[in-house]
Amino acid sequence: MSNSPIVELLATNSTPQATGDKVTALDIAPLLAQAIGRIHGNESVTSLFDTRG
């Protein structure tokens, strides 16, 4: 991967992934915790994934 034209590879830390200087693991624990809390409270989770700004 070091010699590839890829600038950065984004992955989540939800499963084991490759490591390296071009790999960035994003922590999704807070997002999962919010989603579980909203589901348990019978609230919408749609706003967690709204990417329109």
Side-chain angles (χ1 to χ4, degrees):
M1 194 135 129
S2 295
N3 297 327
S4 73
I6 295 173
V7 175
E8 181 180 26
L9 175 67
L10 296 176
T12 66
N13 63 350
S14 59
T15 61
Q17 71 273 335
T19 58
D21 58 333
K22 294 183 178 184
V23 178
T24 301
L26 302 176
D27 183 18
I28 63 167
L31 177 63
L32 291 176
Q34 261 194 315
I36 291 168
R38 288 178 181 214
I39 291 167
H40 181 72
N42 203 26
E43 300 173 39
S44 172
V45 296
T46 303
S47 63
L48 293 176
F49 306 101
D50 186 4
T51 59
R52 290 178 279 166

